[in-house]
C-alpha cells in the first residue's frame, strides 16, 4: 500500500471517528437533562437563560450543585444566579467551562468552589485533566459519557429549561455517624499541586478580565473537609487577591449533620442547601450590593419559576422517600 493511500485512509478514519464522537457528544448532553423538571439540574440549561441575565454564577463539583439553590436568592434578595456543577469536576474543566459560559453570560460575581483544587495531586494527574478538559470542549462525550444510559433516553425529549437553575434537589436525610474533629484549629496547610494552583489563577484572571468579581468558596462537607484545607484555600485566595468564604466554618452551628445531608456527610439535602444559599445570599447582598430585580418586566420569568417550584414541591410532598 502506497504512503499516499495510507494517509488518505487514516484521514478518512479520523473524520469518521470525529463524526461519531460529535453525534455521541450531542446525545450525552441531551440525555443529561431530566424530563422531570424537579430533577432537571443540567448545567447546560444555563444556555436556555436570556443572555447576560445571571448575576451570580456558582461553579464546581457535585458539592456545589447539591448546596447552592439560586431560587433562594431570588426570593430573599432579588438577584439571579445559576449553579454549574459536574461530578468530580477538576480545575482545568472549571477553566474551560468558564470560557463557554462567558459567551452567553457576564455575571457580576463568580463563586468558585475550592474542593476541586485537591483532586489532582500530581503533575501527571493535572496534565491528564488539562488534556481531557481541552478535548472535551470539542467532544463533550469525554466528560458526559455516563449519560449514555438507555434509561435516560426519554430525557432527550424533555424540557431543556431548568426551573432549578442547576441545583440538584434531594430531600432524603442520612445522618453522619462517625464523629471527628475535622474543623479543629491548626496552622498546618494542605498541599495544593502547583499546576492546580496555576490553573486556578488562570480562572481568577479570566473572570476578572471579563469584568466579574471571583470569590473562592467551600461549601459544607463533613467527610471531605478539614482545617488544613481551609488554610490552603485561604493562602491561595490571599495570593490571588480575592475573598474566601468557608461555609464549613461560617455555618458550623447551623448545619445539622444528623438531618441536613443526603448521604451521611458528603452532600447536602434541600434543608442544608437552603441554609447555605440563604447565608450566601445575605453575604453577597451586603458585600457586593447586588441589585433587587424583583418586579421588573425582564425578570418576570423568575417569579414564574418560583411558582413552578412551589407546585413541584406540592406534588413531591407525598413521596415517602426523597431522592
Amino acid at each position: 500500500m502506497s504512503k499516499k493511500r495510507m494517509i488518505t485512509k487514516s484521514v478518512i478514519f479520523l473524520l469518521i471517528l470525529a463524526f461519531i464522537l460529535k453525534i455521541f457528544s450531542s446525545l450525552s448532553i441531551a440525555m443529561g437533562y431530566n424530563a422531570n423538571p424537579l430533577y432537571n439540574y443540567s448545567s447546560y440549561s444555563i444556555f436556555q437563560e436570556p443572555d447576560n441575565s445571571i448575576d451570580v454564577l456558582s461553579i464546581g463539583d457535585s458539592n456545589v450543585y447539591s448546596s447552592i439553590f439560586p431560587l433562594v436568592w431570588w426570593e430573599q434578595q432579588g438577584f439571579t444566579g445559576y449553579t454549574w456543577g459536574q461530578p468530580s469536576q477538576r480545575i482545568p474543566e472549571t477553566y474551560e467551562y468558564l470560557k463557554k459560559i462567558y459567551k452567553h453570560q457576564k455575571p457580576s460575581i463568580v463563586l468558585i468552589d475550592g474542593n476541586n483544587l485537591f483532586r489532582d495531586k500530581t503533575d501527571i494527574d493535572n496534565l491528564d485533566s488539562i488534556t481531557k478538559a481541552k478535548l472535551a470542549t470539542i467532544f463533550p462525550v469525554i466528560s458526559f459519557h455516563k449519560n449514555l444510559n438507555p434509561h435516560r433516553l426519554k430525557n432527550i425529549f424533555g424540557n431543556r429549561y431548568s426551573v432549578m437553575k442547576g441545583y440538584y434537589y434531594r430531600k432524603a436525610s442520612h445522618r453522619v455517624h462517625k464523629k471527628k474533629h475535622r474543623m479543629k484549629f491548626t496552622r498546618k496547610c494542605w498541599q495544593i499541586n502547583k499546576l492546580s494552583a496555576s490553573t486556578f489563577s488562570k480562572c481568577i484572571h479570566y473572570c476578572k478580565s471579563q469584568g466579574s468579581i471571583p470569590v473562592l468558596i467551600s461549601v459544607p462537607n463533613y467527610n471531605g473537609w478539614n482545617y488544613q484545607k481551609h488554610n490552603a484555600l485561604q493562602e491561595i485566595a490571599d495570593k490571588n487577591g480575592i475573598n474566601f468564604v468557608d461555609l464549613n466554618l461560617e455555618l458550623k452551628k447551623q448545619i445539622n449533620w444528623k438531618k441536613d445531608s443526603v448521604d451521611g456527610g458528603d452532600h447536602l439535602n434541600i434543608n442544608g442547601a437552603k441554609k447555605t444559599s440563604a447565608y450566601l445570599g445575605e453575604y453577597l447582598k451586603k458585600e457586593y450590593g447586588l441589585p433587587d430585580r424583583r418586579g421588573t418586566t425582564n425578570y418576570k420569568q423568575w417569579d414564574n419559576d418560583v411558582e413552578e417550584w412551589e407546585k413541584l414541591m406540592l406534588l413531591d410532598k407525598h413521596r415517602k422517600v426523597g431522592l
Side-chain angles (χ1 to χ4, degrees):
M1 185 182 296
S2 67
K3 186 176 180 180
K4 184 177 180 181
R5 190 175 179 184
M6 286 181 63
I7 293 174
T8 302
K9 282 193 171 185
S10 297
V11 170
I12 292 173
F13 170 77
L14 290 173
L15 288 173
I16 293 173
L17 178 62
F19 179 72
I20 293 172
L21 286 173
K22 278 291 188 183
I23 291 175
F24 278 102
S25 289
S26 296
L27 282 173
S28 69
I29 292 173
M31 293 167 74
Y33 298 104
N34 195 309
N36 183 341
L38 186 60
Y39 300 106
N40 182 24
Y41 62 100
S42 172
S43 295
Y44 271 77
S45 289
I46 193 173
F47 303 121
Q48 303 300 315
E49 299 288 334
D51 283 0
N52 303 323
S53 64
I54 299 299
D55 293 315
V56 179
L57 170 70
S58 307
I59 188 166
D61 58 16
S62 57
N63 286 297
V64 171
Y65 66 58
S66 300
S67 302
I68 301 177
F69 188 15
L71 281 186
V72 172
W73 297 340
W74 179 258
E75 285 191 286
Q76 296 182 1
Q77 285 84 28
F79 61 82
T80 64
Y82 202 94
T83 299
W84 179 294
Q86 301 298 337
S88 302
Q89 185 168 304
R90 267 63 175 171
I91 198 67
E93 292 178 301
T94 297
Y95 180 62
E96 296 300 333
Y97 290 144
L98 282 170
K99 291 192 289 184
K100 182 189 293 287
I101 294 166
Y102 270 106
K103 292 178 181 178
H104 299 275
Q105 299 293 339
K106 301 292 182 186
S108 299
I109 310 294
V110 179
L111 303 178
I112 303 178
D113 182 63
N115 193 50
N116 53 18
L117 274 164
F118 301 105
R119 294 194 183 280
D120 293 330
K121 298 177 175 60
T122 67
D123 289 350
I124 292 176
D125 290 339
N126 271 277
L127 291 171
D128 181 58
S129 292
I130 290 170
T131 302
K132 287 181 178 178
K134 289 286 186 184
L135 287 173
T137 61
I138 305 171
F139 305 115
V141 69
I142 293 172
S143 296
F144 303 116
H145 58 277
K146 289 184 178 180
N147 289 341
L148 298 175
N149 184 319
H151 297 294
R152 301 183 69 97
L153 277 171
K154 62 181 180 181
N155 295 334
I156 295 176
F157 308 103
N159 192 345
R160 300 289 192 264
Y161 185 80
S162 175
V163 171
M164 308 305 289
K165 310 299 180 185
Y167 165 68
Y168 184 14
Y169 166 77
R170 288 176 288 184
K171 68 178 182 180
S173 176
H174 293 282
R175 62 182 295 171
V176 171
H177 292 286
K178 185 179 179 181
K179 292 184 178 180
K180 58 182 180 179
H181 299 290
R182 64 191 185 94
M183 294 309 292
K184 185 178 180 179
F185 178 80
T186 179
R187 296 188 184 280
K188 293 181 180 180
C189 194
W190 199 280
Q191 291 299 309
I192 295 176
N193 180 272
K194 290 183 178 179
L195 276 177
S196 293
S198 176
T199 305
F200 175 76
S201 294
K202 286 175 66 178
C203 293
I204 298 305
H205 294 150
Y206 184 75
C207 290
K208 288 181 177 179
S209 73
Q210 298 296 314
S212 301
I213 299 174
V215 178
L216 180 60
I217 64 169
S218 172
V219 297
N221 183 326
Y222 189 92
N223 295 330
W225 199 251
N226 56 55
Y227 215 100
Q228 291 184 42
K229 289 184 175 181
H230 165 86
N231 290 339
L233 291 194
Q234 187 63 67
E235 185 177 281
I236 202 169
D238 292 341
K239 285 182 179 178
N240 285 275
I242 62 174
N243 288 342
F244 170 45
V245 182
D246 189 347
L247 294 158
N248 290 279
L249 285 178
E250 301 296 339
L251 297 177
K252 188 176 180 179
K253 294 182 179 180
Q254 288 89 334
I255 296 296
N256 184 344
W257 290 108
K258 294 179 181 180
K259 298 180 179 180
D260 294 344
S261 174
V262 71
D263 51 10
D266 285 322
H267 301 91
L268 297 179
N269 58 22
I270 182 62
N271 295 327
K274 283 183 176 180
K275 294 176 183 178
T276 302
S277 303
Y279 179 88
L280 279 173
E282 291 179 8
Y283 169 81
L284 293 169
K285 188 74 171 182
K286 181 179 178 181
E287 190 74 15
Y288 302 105
L290 294 171
D292 186 342
R293 304 186 186 278
R294 288 171 293 188
T296 57
T297 305
N298 291 343
Y299 291 86
K300 177 62 179 174
Q301 183 59 45
W302 281 79
D303 292 324
N304 296 339
D305 290 339
V306 170
E307 290 179 10
E308 180 66 16
W309 152 251
E310 291 172 349
K311 291 177 183 177
L312 292 169
M313 285 300 295
L314 285 175
L315 291 172
D316 191 61
K317 185 177 181 180
H318 303 293
R319 289 169 58 92
K320 293 182 180 180
V321 180
L323 296 179

